[in-house]
Amino acid sequence: MEETRLSQWSVIRSLLAILQWWGFNVTVIVMNKWIFQKLDFKFPLTVSSIHFICSAIGAYTVIKILKLKPLITVEPEDRWRRIFPMSFVFCINIVLGNVSLRYIPVSFMQTIKSFTPATTVVLQWLVWRKYFDWRIWCSLIPIVGGILLTSVTELSFNMLGFCAALFGCLATSTKTILAESLLHGYKFDSINTVYYMAPFATMILAVPAVVLEGNGVIEWLHTHQTLVPSLIIIFSSGVLAFCLNFSIFYVIHSTTAVTFNVAGNLKVAVAVLVSWMIFKNPIPALNAVGCGITLVGCTFYGYVRHLLSQQLPGTPRTPRTPRGRMELLPLVNDKLDDKV
């Protein structure tokens, strides 16, 4: 009886973790789109800076004041030698995501972000000369095909937004790959990652935001009619961006790897549906099919990765005799690019 109760509580806990993760993620995405489209606050660098500042304050509060998470100590020289380069790529990734949200619909942006597994595998293969099991390559086919179909049939296609989202995938892949070498020896969770990277990201982005968008922000402050409610929405998006990081930490520790992968792909579908209900952007049938194919491909990719990771060390991954170079699993942790 006790085991049954524990099992039921585990299922309920996992479900609640997934639902709160979905809630924070979809809310942050929709709020950012609302800020750019409805509030006419077309300053993605400034929005990103606000998110970084709120996340830095939030992480400091959780670790130093509330002591809900232990601080992972990093040597001072490692902060500049390891954390700073990661923060730079991290900053580019978030900025490109917000830039894409300004120019393209949420549905299109979320579908393109699902391209991250493919960019990671290709980047590791081309630059780092790593080789992968043939099943990994096969799992990328529906991802690429679905995104091509979505791009061709997107009615609100914008080249700048498309390129920003695509280069955002490359930035996410680069960040994930660099983490393998730069953060070797440190076992960061999402809160400690934000604690160290958000202040650096704020420092990196502050000057470009002031130089490129400062005059526009000042003009917006003087001309916008509903200033106080709009500022509340903008800063609330920053607070929720930090809460999203905390929710990621919670869901990782409450679900299995397979559940996390499936829930991550369903989250994209929820974000697309909610954004369509709010912004009423047209989604043609073939566009929806392309998005669906991409999500199925991402789920299959995660399943293949899970299968390969369960194989015992030294077990051949294909029937043939292994060649000189090992076939490696991708390093990407696909759904952790939601941070900040």
Side-chain angles (χ1 to χ4, degrees):
M1 177 66 71
E2 186 66 25
E3 291 183 359
T4 303
R5 288 180 178 177
L6 288 175
S7 177
Q8 290 176 342
W9 167 243
S10 178
V11 172
I12 295 172
R13 181 187 175 190
S14 299
L15 182 60
L16 291 175
I18 291 171
L19 289 176
Q20 57 88 31
W21 177 42
W22 282 3
F24 281 122
N25 184 271
V26 173
T27 302
V28 169
I29 292 172
V30 170
M31 283 186 74
N32 286 350
K33 185 64 177 178
W34 186 276
I35 289 168
F36 295 132
Q37 184 170 318
K38 301 296 184 180
L39 302 184
D40 202 35
F41 191 81
K42 302 184 182 301
F43 309 107
L45 299 184
T46 304
V47 171
S48 300
S49 297
I50 291 172
H51 285 195
F52 289 138
I53 292 170
C54 291
S55 295
I57 295 172
Y60 182 87
T61 302
V62 168
I63 293 176
K64 289 290 190 176
I65 299 176
L66 301 178
K67 299 186 183 302
L68 297 177
K69 281 291 297 176
L71 175 65
I72 298 175
T73 305
V74 178
E75 297 297 326
E77 61 270 20
D78 281 345
R79 296 187 185 188
W80 288 99
R81 187 165 54 93
R82 298 188 180 191
I83 304 297
F84 183 79
M86 286 289 299
S87 302
F88 184 77
V89 180
F90 175 62
C91 178
I92 293 175
N93 176 35
I94 299 301
V95 169
L96 288 174
N98 283 330
V99 170
S100 66
L101 266 181
R102 176 184 169 183
Y103 292 102
I104 59 178
V106 172
S107 57
F108 191 30
M109 177 261 196
Q110 286 288 291
T111 305
I112 296 173
K113 282 184 71 69
S114 299
F115 195 53
T116 301
T119 57
T120 304
V121 170
V122 172
L123 222 73
Q124 288 181 295
W125 178 64
L126 287 177
V127 181
W128 282 269
R129 307 305 300 168
K130 291 187 177 181
Y131 287 76
F132 303 98
D133 189 282
W134 65 272
R135 285 167 288 185
I136 290 290
W137 291 105
C138 289
S139 69
L140 299 180
I141 294 175
I143 298 177
V144 176
I147 289 176
L148 286 175
L149 180 59
T150 304
S151 302
V152 170
T153 58
E154 176 58 49
L155 297 178
S156 304
F157 184 87
N158 178 279
M159 183 56 72
L160 180 58
F162 173 78
C163 290
L166 194 59
F167 281 108
C169 292
L170 289 173
T172 301
S173 301
T174 303
K175 175 173 65 73
T176 307
I177 295 170
L178 286 178
E180 175 75 6
S181 56
L182 292 179
L183 301 184
H184 180 71
Y186 293 105
K187 295 183 178 180
F188 280 116
D189 53 64
S190 58
I191 305 301
N192 274 275
T193 299
V194 174
Y195 177 85
Y196 283 108
M197 291 189 184
F200 275 132
T202 303
M203 181 179 66
I204 293 167
L205 195 57
V207 174
V210 171
V211 172
L212 297 176
E213 298 180 348
N215 292 333
V217 172
I218 293 173
E219 183 181 351
W220 182 88
L221 290 172
H222 284 95
T223 58
H224 195 70
Q225 295 180 348
T226 56
L227 184 60
V228 174
S230 298
L231 288 176
I232 291 175
I233 293 174
I234 292 171
F235 281 94
S236 295
S237 72
V239 174
L240 290 174
F242 167 73
C243 293
L244 174 59
N245 289 280
F246 207 83
S247 72
I248 292 171
F249 166 77
Y250 182 49
V251 77
I252 288 174
H253 286 77
S254 303
T255 61
T256 64
V258 174
T259 302
F260 185 62
N261 173 61
V262 174
N265 291 310
L266 288 176
K267 171 181 63 65
V268 175
V270 172
V272 170
L273 178 62
V274 172
S275 68
W276 175 78
M277 292 173 63
I278 293 175
F279 299 105
K280 304 297 183 182
N281 56 289
I283 302 179
L286 284 178
N287 190 275
V289 170
C291 180
I293 293 173
T294 301
L295 296 183
V296 170
C298 288
T299 304
F300 180 54
Y301 167 82
Y303 175 70
V304 170
R305 284 184 58 228
H306 177 71
L307 283 182
L308 296 178
S309 68
Q310 297 304 304
Q311 292 183 350
L312 294 174
T315 303
R317 287 176 176 164
T318 60
R320 60 173 172 76
T321 304
R323 295 173 182 172
R325 295 178 174 177
M326 284 186 61
E327 289 181 313
L328 302 174
L329 275 174
L331 300 174
V332 65
N333 199 352
D334 304 318
K335 296 302 170 187
L336 294 189
D337 59 340
D338 295 320
K339 299 175 184 175
V340 187

